[in-house]
Coordinates of all heavy atoms in Angstrom, one line a residue:
M1229 N -63.3 10.4 -15.9 CA -61.9 10.4 -15.4 C -61.4 12.0 -15.4 O -61.6 12.7 -16.3 CB -60.9 9.6 -16.3 CG -59.5 9.5 -15.9 SD -58.6 8.2 -16.8 CE -59.5 6.7 -16.5
R1230 N -60.5 12.2 -14.5 CA -59.9 13.5 -14.3 C -59.2 13.8 -15.7 O -58.6 13.1 -16.3 CB -58.8 13.6 -13.2 CG -59.5 13.4 -11.9 CD -58.4 13.3 -10.8 NE -58.2 11.8 -10.6 CZ -57.2 11.2 -10.2 NH1 -56.1 11.8 -10.0 NH2 -57.2 9.9 -10.1
N1231 N -59.4 15.0 -16.2 CA -58.9 15.5 -17.4 C -58.0 14.5 -18.4 O -57.7 15.0 -19.4 CB -58.0 16.8 -17.2 CG -59.0 17.8 -16.6 OD1 -60.1 17.9 -16.8 ND2 -58.4 18.7 -15.8
D1232 N -57.7 13.4 -17.9 CA -56.8 12.4 -18.6 C -55.6 13.1 -19.1 O -55.2 12.8 -20.4 CB -57.7 11.9 -19.8 CG -57.2 10.5 -20.3 OD1 -56.4 9.9 -19.6 OD2 -57.7 10.1 -21.4
L1233 N -54.9 13.8 -18.2 CA -53.6 14.5 -18.7 C -52.6 13.5 -19.1 O -51.7 13.8 -19.8 CB -53.1 15.3 -17.5 CG -54.1 16.5 -17.2 CD1 -53.5 17.3 -16.0 CD2 -54.1 17.4 -18.3
L1234 N -52.7 12.3 -18.4 CA -51.6 11.3 -18.7 C -52.1 10.4 -19.9 O -51.3 9.4 -20.2 CB -51.4 10.4 -17.5 CG -50.9 11.1 -16.2 CD1 -50.9 10.1 -15.1 CD2 -49.5 11.8 -16.5
E1235 N -53.1 10.7 -20.6 CA -53.7 9.8 -21.6 C -53.9 8.5 -21.1 O -53.5 7.5 -21.9 CB -52.9 10.1 -22.9 CG -52.8 11.4 -23.4 CD -52.2 11.6 -24.8 OE1 -52.1 10.6 -25.5 OE2 -51.8 12.7 -25.2
F1236 N -54.4 8.3 -19.9 CA -54.5 6.9 -19.4 C -55.5 6.1 -20.2 O -55.4 4.9 -20.4 CB -55.0 7.1 -17.9 CG -54.7 5.9 -17.1 CD1 -53.3 5.7 -16.6 CD2 -55.7 5.0 -16.7 CE1 -53.1 4.6 -15.8 CE2 -55.3 3.8 -15.9 CZ -54.1 3.7 -15.5
S1237 N -56.5 6.8 -20.7 CA -57.6 6.1 -21.5 C -57.0 5.6 -22.8 O -57.2 4.4 -23.3 CB -58.8 7.0 -21.7 OG -58.3 8.2 -22.6
A1238 N -56.0 6.3 -23.4 CA -55.3 5.8 -24.6 C -54.4 4.6 -24.3 O -54.4 3.6 -25.0 CB -54.4 7.0 -25.2
L1239 N -53.7 4.6 -23.2 CA -53.0 3.4 -22.7 C -53.9 2.2 -22.5 O -53.5 1.1 -22.9 CB -52.3 3.8 -21.4 CG -51.4 2.7 -20.9 CD1 -50.4 2.3 -21.9 CD2 -50.8 3.1 -19.5
K1240 N -55.0 2.5 -21.8 CA -56.0 1.3 -21.6 C -56.4 0.8 -23.0 O -56.6 -0.5 -23.2 CB -57.2 1.8 -20.8 CG -56.6 1.9 -19.3 CD -57.6 2.6 -18.3 CE -59.0 2.2 -18.5 NZ -59.9 2.8 -17.5
E1241 N -56.8 1.6 -24.0 CA -57.2 1.1 -25.3 C -56.1 0.4 -26.0 O -56.3 -0.6 -26.8 CB -57.6 2.3 -26.2 CG -59.0 2.8 -25.7 CD -60.1 1.8 -25.8 OE1 -60.2 1.1 -26.9 OE2 -60.9 1.7 -24.9
Y1242 N -54.9 0.8 -25.7 CA -53.7 0.1 -26.4 C -53.5 -1.4 -25.8 O -53.2 -2.3 -26.5 CB -52.3 0.9 -26.2 CG -51.1 0.2 -26.6 CD1 -50.8 0.2 -28.0 CD2 -50.3 -0.6 -25.8 CE1 -49.7 -0.5 -28.5 CE2 -49.1 -1.2 -26.2 CZ -48.9 -1.1 -27.6 OH -47.8 -1.8 -28.1
I1243 N -53.7 -1.5 -24.5 CA -53.6 -2.8 -23.8 C -54.8 -3.6 -24.1 O -54.6 -4.9 -24.1 CB -53.5 -2.5 -22.3 CG1 -52.3 -1.7 -22.0 CG2 -53.7 -3.9 -21.5 CD1 -52.2 -1.3 -20.5
K1244 N -56.0 -3.2 -24.4 CA -57.2 -4.0 -24.5 C -57.1 -5.1 -25.4 O -57.6 -6.2 -25.0 CB -58.4 -3.0 -25.0 CG -59.8 -3.6 -24.7 CD -60.7 -2.5 -25.2 CE -62.0 -2.5 -24.4 NZ -62.9 -1.5 -24.7
P1245 N -56.4 -5.0 -26.6 CA -56.5 -6.3 -27.5 C -55.7 -7.5 -26.9 O -55.8 -8.6 -27.3 CB -55.7 -5.8 -28.7 CG -56.0 -4.3 -28.7 CD -56.0 -4.0 -27.3
F1246 N -54.8 -7.2 -25.9 CA -54.1 -8.2 -25.3 C -54.7 -9.0 -24.1 O -54.2 -9.8 -23.6 CB -52.7 -7.6 -24.7 CG -51.9 -7.0 -25.8 CD1 -51.8 -5.7 -26.1 CD2 -51.1 -7.8 -26.8 CE1 -51.1 -5.1 -27.1 CE2 -50.4 -7.3 -27.7 CZ -50.4 -5.9 -27.9
V1247 N -55.9 -8.4 -23.7 CA -56.6 -8.9 -22.6 C -57.5 -10.1 -23.1 O -58.2 -9.9 -24.2 CB -57.5 -8.0 -21.9 CG1 -58.4 -8.5 -20.8 CG2 -56.6 -6.8 -21.4
S1248 N -57.4 -11.3 -22.5 CA -58.1 -12.4 -23.1 C -59.2 -13.0 -22.2 O -59.8 -14.0 -22.5 CB -57.1 -13.6 -23.2 OG -56.6 -13.9 -21.9
S1249 N -59.7 -12.2 -21.2 CA -60.9 -12.8 -20.4 C -61.7 -11.6 -20.1 O -61.4 -10.4 -20.1 CB -60.4 -13.4 -19.1 OG -59.9 -12.5 -18.3
E1250 N -63.0 -11.9 -19.7 CA -64.0 -10.9 -19.3 C -63.6 -10.3 -18.0 O -63.7 -9.1 -17.8 CB -65.3 -11.6 -19.1 CG -66.5 -10.5 -19.0 CD -66.6 -9.7 -20.3 OE1 -66.5 -10.2 -21.4 OE2 -66.8 -8.4 -20.1
I1251 N -62.9 -11.1 -17.1 CA -62.5 -10.6 -15.8 C -61.3 -9.5 -16.1 O -61.3 -8.5 -15.5 CB -61.9 -11.7 -15.0 CG1 -63.0 -12.6 -14.5 CG2 -61.1 -11.2 -13.8 CD1 -62.5 -13.8 -13.7
G1252 N -60.4 -9.9 -17.0 CA -59.4 -8.9 -17.4 C -59.9 -7.6 -17.9 O -59.4 -6.6 -17.6
L1253 N -60.9 -7.8 -18.8 CA -61.4 -6.5 -19.3 C -62.1 -5.6 -18.2 O -62.1 -4.5 -18.2 CB -62.5 -6.9 -20.4 CG -62.0 -7.4 -21.8 CD1 -63.0 -7.9 -22.6 CD2 -61.1 -6.3 -22.4
S1254 N -62.8 -6.3 -17.4 CA -63.5 -5.7 -16.2 C -62.3 -4.9 -15.4 O -62.5 -3.9 -14.9 CB -64.3 -6.6 -15.3 OG -64.9 -6.0 -14.2
A1255 N -61.3 -5.7 -15.1 CA -60.2 -5.1 -14.3 C -59.5 -3.9 -15.0 O -59.3 -2.9 -14.4 CB -59.2 -6.1 -13.9
L1256 N -59.3 -4.0 -16.3 CA -58.8 -3.0 -17.1 C -59.6 -1.7 -17.1 O -59.2 -0.7 -16.9 CB -58.5 -3.4 -18.5 CG -58.0 -2.4 -19.5 CD1 -56.6 -2.0 -19.1 CD2 -57.9 -3.0 -20.9
S1257 N -61.0 -2.0 -17.3 CA -61.9 -0.7 -17.2 C -61.9 0.0 -15.9 O -62.1 1.1 -15.7 CB -63.3 -1.2 -17.7 OG -63.9 -2.0 -16.7
G1258 N -61.5 -0.8 -14.8 CA -61.6 -0.2 -13.5 C -60.2 0.5 -13.1 O -60.1 1.1 -12.1
L1259 N -59.2 0.3 -14.0 CA -58.0 1.0 -13.7 C -58.0 2.5 -13.8 O -58.6 3.0 -14.7 CB -56.9 0.5 -14.6 CG -56.3 -1.0 -14.3 CD1 -55.2 -1.2 -15.4 CD2 -55.7 -1.1 -13.0
S1260 N -57.3 3.1 -12.9 CA -57.2 4.6 -12.9 C -55.8 4.9 -12.4 O -55.2 4.2 -11.8 CB -58.3 5.2 -12.1 OG -58.2 4.9 -10.8
P1261 N -55.3 6.1 -12.8 CA -54.1 6.6 -12.2 C -54.0 6.5 -10.7 O -55.1 6.6 -10.0 CB -53.8 8.0 -12.7 CG -54.8 8.1 -13.8 CD -55.9 7.2 -13.7
S1262 N -52.9 6.3 -10.1 CA -52.8 6.3 -8.6 C -53.1 7.7 -8.0 O -52.7 8.7 -8.5 CB -51.3 5.9 -8.2 OG -51.0 4.7 -8.6
D1263 N -53.7 7.6 -6.8 CA -54.0 8.8 -6.1 C -52.9 9.3 -5.2 O -53.0 10.3 -4.7 CB -55.3 8.7 -5.3 CG -56.6 8.6 -6.3 OD1 -56.4 9.3 -7.4 OD2 -57.6 8.0 -6.0
S1264 N -52.0 8.3 -4.9 CA -50.9 8.6 -3.8 C -49.7 8.1 -4.4 O -49.5 7.1 -5.2 CB -51.3 8.0 -2.5 OG -51.2 6.5 -2.5
W1265 N -48.5 8.6 -3.9 CA -47.3 8.1 -4.2 C -46.9 6.7 -3.7 O -46.3 5.9 -4.3 CB -46.1 9.0 -3.7 CG -46.0 10.3 -4.5 CD1 -46.2 11.6 -4.2 CD2 -45.4 10.4 -5.8 NE1 -46.0 12.5 -5.1 CE2 -45.5 11.7 -6.2 CE3 -44.9 9.4 -6.7 CZ2 -45.0 12.2 -7.5 CZ3 -44.5 9.9 -7.9 CH2 -44.5 11.2 -8.3
E1266 N -47.6 6.4 -2.6 CA -47.4 5.0 -2.0 C -48.0 4.1 -2.8 O -47.5 2.9 -3.2 CB -48.1 5.0 -0.6 CG -47.4 5.8 0.5 CD -47.7 7.3 0.4 OE1 -48.8 7.5 -0.1 OE2 -46.9 8.1 0.9
D1267 N -49.3 4.3 -3.3 CA -49.9 3.5 -4.3 C -49.1 3.2 -5.7 O -48.9 2.1 -6.2 CB -51.3 3.8 -4.5 CG -52.1 2.9 -5.4 OD1 -52.1 1.7 -5.2 OD2 -52.7 3.4 -6.4
A1268 N -48.6 4.4 -6.1 CA -47.8 4.4 -7.3 C -46.5 3.6 -7.2 O -46.2 2.7 -7.9 CB -47.4 5.7 -7.8
R1269 N -45.8 3.6 -6.0 CA -44.7 2.8 -5.7 C -45.0 1.3 -5.6 O -44.3 0.5 -6.1 CB -44.0 3.3 -4.4 CG -43.3 4.6 -4.6 CD -42.5 4.9 -3.2 NE -42.0 6.3 -3.3 CZ -42.7 7.4 -2.7 NH1 -43.7 7.3 -2.0 NH2 -42.1 8.6 -2.8
Y1270 N -46.1 1.0 -4.9 CA -46.6 -0.3 -4.8 C -46.8 -0.9 -6.2 O -46.4 -2.1 -6.6 CB -47.8 -0.4 -4.0 CG -48.4 -1.8 -4.0 CD1 -47.7 -2.8 -3.2 CD2 -49.6 -2.1 -4.6 CE1 -48.3 -4.1 -3.1 CE2 -50.2 -3.4 -4.6 CZ -49.5 -4.3 -3.9 OH -50.0 -5.6 -3.8
R1271 N -47.6 -0.2 -7.1 CA -47.8 -0.7 -8.4 C -46.6 -0.9 -9.3 O -46.4 -1.8 -10.1 CB -48.8 0.3 -9.2 CG -50.2 0.3 -8.6 CD -51.1 1.2 -9.4 NE -52.5 1.4 -8.9 CZ -53.3 1.9 -9.7 NH1 -53.1 2.6 -10.8 NH2 -54.6 2.0 -9.1
L1272 N -45.6 0.0 -9.1 CA -44.3 0.0 -9.9 C -43.6 -1.3 -9.3 O -43.1 -2.0 -10.1 CB -43.6 1.2 -9.6 CG -42.1 1.3 -10.2 CD1 -42.3 1.1 -11.7 CD2 -41.5 2.5 -9.9
A1273 N -43.6 -1.5 -8.0 CA -42.9 -2.7 -7.5 C -43.5 -4.0 -8.1 O -42.8 -4.9 -8.5 CB -42.9 -2.8 -6.0
L1274 N -44.8 -4.0 -8.2 CA -45.5 -5.2 -8.8 C -45.0 -5.3 -10.3 O -44.8 -6.5 -10.8 CB -47.0 -5.1 -8.8 CG -47.6 -5.2 -7.5 CD1 -49.2 -5.0 -7.5 CD2 -47.4 -6.6 -6.7
L1275 N -45.0 -4.3 -11.0 CA -44.6 -4.3 -12.3 C -43.2 -4.7 -12.5 O -42.8 -5.6 -13.4 CB -44.8 -2.8 -13.0 CG -44.3 -2.7 -14.5 CD1 -45.1 -3.6 -15.4 CD2 -44.5 -1.3 -14.9
Q1276 N -42.3 -4.4 -11.7 CA -40.9 -4.6 -11.8 C -40.7 -6.2 -11.5 O -40.0 -6.8 -12.1 CB -40.1 -3.8 -10.8 CG -39.9 -2.3 -11.2 CD -39.3 -1.5 -10.1 OE1 -39.4 -1.8 -8.9 NE2 -38.6 -0.4 -10.5
E1277 N -41.6 -6.7 -10.5 CA -41.5 -8.0 -10.2 C -42.0 -8.9 -11.4 O -41.3 -9.9 -11.8 CB -42.4 -8.4 -9.0 CG -42.3 -9.7 -8.6 CD -43.2 -10.0 -7.3 OE1 -43.6 -9.0 -6.7 OE2 -43.5 -11.2 -7.0
M1278 N -43.0 -8.5 -12.1 CA -43.4 -9.2 -13.3 C -42.4 -9.1 -14.5 O -42.1 -10.1 -15.1 CB -44.7 -8.7 -13.8 CG -45.3 -9.3 -15.1 SD -45.5 -11.1 -14.8 CE -47.1 -11.2 -14.2
I1279 N -41.7 -7.8 -14.6 CA -40.8 -7.9 -15.7 C -39.6 -8.8 -15.4 O -39.1 -9.4 -16.2 CB -40.3 -6.4 -15.8 CG1 -41.4 -5.5 -16.4 CG2 -39.0 -6.3 -16.6 CD1 -41.2 -4.0 -16.3
E1280 N -39.1 -8.9 -14.0 CA -38.1 -9.7 -13.7 C -38.4 -11.2 -14.0 O -37.6 -11.9 -14.4 CB -37.7 -9.5 -12.2 CG -37.0 -8.3 -12.0 CD -36.8 -8.0 -10.4 OE1 -36.9 -8.9 -9.7 OE2 -36.5 -6.8 -10.1
L1281 N -39.7 -11.5 -13.7 CA -40.1 -12.9 -13.9 C -40.0 -13.2 -15.3 O -39.6 -14.3 -15.8 CB -41.5 -13.1 -13.4 CG -42.1 -14.4 -13.5 CD1 -41.2 -15.5 -12.8 CD2 -43.6 -14.4 -13.0
M1282 N -40.6 -12.3 -16.3 CA -40.6 -12.5 -17.6 C -39.2 -12.5 -18.2 O -39.0 -13.4 -19.2 CB -41.4 -11.4 -18.3 CG -42.9 -11.3 -17.9 SD -43.9 -12.7 -18.1 CE -44.2 -12.4 -19.9
N1283 N -38.3 -11.8 -17.6 CA -36.9 -11.8 -18.2 C -36.1 -12.9 -17.7 O -35.0 -13.3 -18.2 CB -36.2 -10.6 -17.9 CG -36.8 -9.4 -18.8 OD1 -37.2 -9.5 -19.8 ND2 -36.6 -8.2 -18.1
S1284 N -36.5 -13.7 -16.7 CA -35.8 -14.7 -16.1 C -35.9 -16.0 -16.9 O -35.0 -16.9 -16.7 CB -36.4 -15.1 -14.7 OG -37.7 -15.7 -14.8
G1285 N -36.7 -16.0 -18.0 CA -36.8 -17.3 -18.7 C -37.8 -18.3 -18.2 O -38.0 -19.4 -18.8
N1286 N -38.3 -18.0 -17.0 CA -39.3 -18.8 -16.3 C -40.7 -18.2 -16.3 O -41.4 -18.3 -15.3 CB -38.8 -19.1 -15.0 CG -37.6 -19.9 -14.8 OD1 -37.3 -20.8 -15.6 ND2 -36.7 -19.4 -13.9
S1287 N -41.0 -17.6 -17.5 CA -42.3 -16.9 -17.6 C -43.5 -17.8 -17.3 O -43.5 -19.0 -17.7 CB -42.5 -16.3 -19.1 OG -41.4 -15.5 -19.4
P1288 N -44.5 -17.4 -16.5 CA -45.6 -18.2 -16.2 C -46.4 -18.3 -17.5 O -46.4 -17.5 -18.3 CB -46.4 -17.4 -15.1 CG -46.0 -16.1 -15.4 CD -44.5 -16.1 -15.9
A1289 N -47.0 -19.5 -17.6 CA -48.1 -19.8 -18.8 C -49.4 -19.1 -18.2 O -50.1 -19.6 -17.3 CB -48.3 -21.2 -19.0
I1290 N -49.6 -18.1 -18.9 CA -50.9 -17.2 -18.5 C -52.0 -17.6 -19.5 O -51.9 -17.3 -20.7 CB -50.7 -15.8 -18.5 CG1 -49.6 -15.4 -17.4 CG2 -52.0 -15.0 -18.1 CD1 -49.1 -14.0 -17.3
A1291 N -53.1 -18.2 -19.0 CA -54.1 -18.6 -20.0 C -55.3 -18.0 -19.5 O -55.5 -17.5 -18.3 CB -54.3 -20.1 -20.0
A1292 N -56.3 -18.0 -20.3 CA -57.7 -17.5 -20.0 C -58.2 -18.4 -18.7 O -58.1 -19.5 -18.7 CB -58.6 -17.6 -21.2
I1293 N -58.8 -17.6 -17.8 CA -59.4 -18.3 -16.7 C -61.0 -18.1 -16.6 O -61.4 -17.1 -17.2 CB -58.7 -17.8 -15.4 CG1 -59.0 -16.3 -15.2 CG2 -57.3 -18.1 -15.2 CD1 -58.6 -15.7 -13.9
S1294 N -61.5 -19.1 -16.0 CA -63.0 -18.9 -15.8 C -63.3 -17.7 -14.9 O -62.6 -17.5 -14.0 CB -63.5 -20.2 -15.3 OG -63.2 -21.3 -16.0
D1295 N -64.5 -17.2 -15.1 CA -65.0 -16.1 -14.3 C -65.6 -16.7 -13.0 O -66.6 -17.4 -13.0 CB -66.2 -15.3 -15.1 CG -66.6 -14.1 -14.3 OD1 -66.2 -13.9 -13.2 OD2 -67.4 -13.3 -14.9
I1296 N -64.9 -16.5 -12.0 CA -65.3 -17.0 -10.7 C -66.1 -16.1 -9.8 O -66.4 -16.3 -8.6 CB -64.1 -17.5 -9.9 CG1 -63.1 -16.4 -9.5 CG2 -63.4 -18.7 -10.6 CD1 -62.0 -16.8 -8.5
R1297 N -66.4 -14.9 -10.3 CA -67.1 -13.8 -9.5 C -68.4 -14.4 -9.0 O -68.8 -14.1 -7.8 CB -67.3 -12.6 -10.4 CG -66.0 -11.9 -10.6 CD -66.2 -10.6 -11.3 NE -66.3 -11.1 -12.7 CZ -66.4 -10.2 -13.7 NH1 -66.2 -8.9 -13.6 NH2 -66.5 -10.7 -15.0
P1298 N -69.2 -15.2 -9.7 CA -70.5 -15.7 -9.1 C -70.2 -16.7 -8.0 O -70.9 -16.6 -6.9 CB -71.1 -16.5 -10.3 CG -70.4 -16.0 -11.6 CD -69.1 -15.5 -11.2
L1299 N -69.1 -17.4 -8.0 CA -68.7 -18.2 -6.8 C -68.3 -17.4 -5.6 O -68.7 -17.7 -4.5 CB -67.6 -19.2 -7.2 CG -67.9 -20.2 -8.2 CD1 -66.7 -21.0 -8.6 CD2 -69.0 -21.1 -7.8
L1300 N -67.6 -16.3 -5.9 CA -67.2 -15.3 -4.8 C -68.4 -14.7 -4.2 O -68.4 -14.6 -2.9 CB -66.3 -14.3 -5.3 CG -64.9 -14.8 -5.8 CD1 -64.1 -13.6 -6.4 CD2 -64.1 -15.4 -4.8
S1301 N -69.5 -14.5 -4.8 CA -70.6 -13.8 -4.3 C -71.3 -14.8 -3.4 O -71.9 -14.5 -2.4 CB -71.6 -13.2 -5.4 OG -72.0 -14.4 -6.1
V1302 N -71.3 -16.1 -3.7 CA -71.8 -17.2 -2.8 C -71.0 -17.3 -1.5 O -71.6 -17.3 -0.4 CB -71.8 -18.6 -3.5 CG1 -72.2 -19.7 -2.6 CG2 -72.8 -18.5 -4.7
I1303 N -69.7 -17.2 -1.6 CA -68.9 -17.2 -0.5 C -69.0 -16.1 0.4 O -69.2 -16.1 1.6 CB -67.4 -17.4 -0.9 CG1 -67.1 -18.7 -1.6 CG2 -66.5 -17.2 0.3 CD1 -65.8 -18.9 -2.1
E1304 N -69.2 -14.8 -0.1 CA -69.4 -13.6 0.5 C -70.7 -13.6 1.3 O -70.9 -13.1 2.4 CB -69.3 -12.3 -0.3 CG -67.9 -12.1 -0.8 CD -67.8 -11.1 -1.9 OE1 -68.9 -10.6 -2.3 OE2 -66.7 -10.8 -2.4
G1305 N -71.6 -14.1 0.7 CA -73.0 -14.3 1.2 C -73.1 -15.3 2.4 O -74.0 -15.3 3.3
S1306 N -72.2 -16.1 2.5 CA -72.2 -17.2 3.6 C -71.4 -16.7 4.9 O -71.5 -17.3 6.0 CB -71.6 -18.5 3.2 OG -70.3 -18.3 2.9
A1307 N -70.7 -15.5 4.8 CA -70.0 -15.2 5.9 C -70.8 -14.3 7.0 O -71.9 -13.9 6.8 CB -69.0 -14.0 5.4

């Protein structure tokens, strides 16, 4: 990772204990700082949407999900 000026790796380590699935851990390990302002704005909009949802009192029940990546590879192979 680029010099890690934002201590992005430390942030990922902080989040890691809250991740409850192998897919989540894989997604977390693949995260990196945005390369463009457009991408950063998009990610911020997603975060704001999730915060609004959590604050609305109608929080989604987020449970561990099965790893469907093997199924996706079957689907991709049939295209």
Side-chain angles (χ1 to χ4, degrees):
M1229 185 175 297
R1230 295 171 260 149
N1231 297 331
D1232 202 15
L1233 296 175
L1234 300 174
E1235 296 188 20
F1236 205 77
S1237 59
L1239 178 61
K1240 287 172 37 173
E1241 284 301 313
Y1242 177 81
I1243 294 169
K1244 199 178 212 177
F1246 300 101
V1247 178
S1248 62
S1249 70
E1250 195 60 39
I1251 294 174
L1253 288 172
S1254 177
L1256 179 63
S1257 70
L1259 282 180
S1260 62
S1262 298
D1263 289 330
S1264 69
W1265 283 110
E1266 293 80 24
D1267 185 47
R1269 285 186 192 102
Y1270 174 73
R1271 290 180 180 191
L1272 179 59
L1274 291 177
L1275 177 61
Q1276 288 170 329
E1277 186 177 342
M1278 181 56 88
I1279 289 171
E1280 288 173 15
L1281 180 63
M1282 300 299 279
N1283 287 335
S1284 73
N1286 297 318
S1287 302
I1290 301 174
I1293 58 172
S1294 301
D1295 187 351
I1296 62 167
R1297 289 177 288 189
L1299 296 174
L1300 293 176
S1301 65
V1302 170
I1303 293 170
E1304 290 171 356
S1306 66

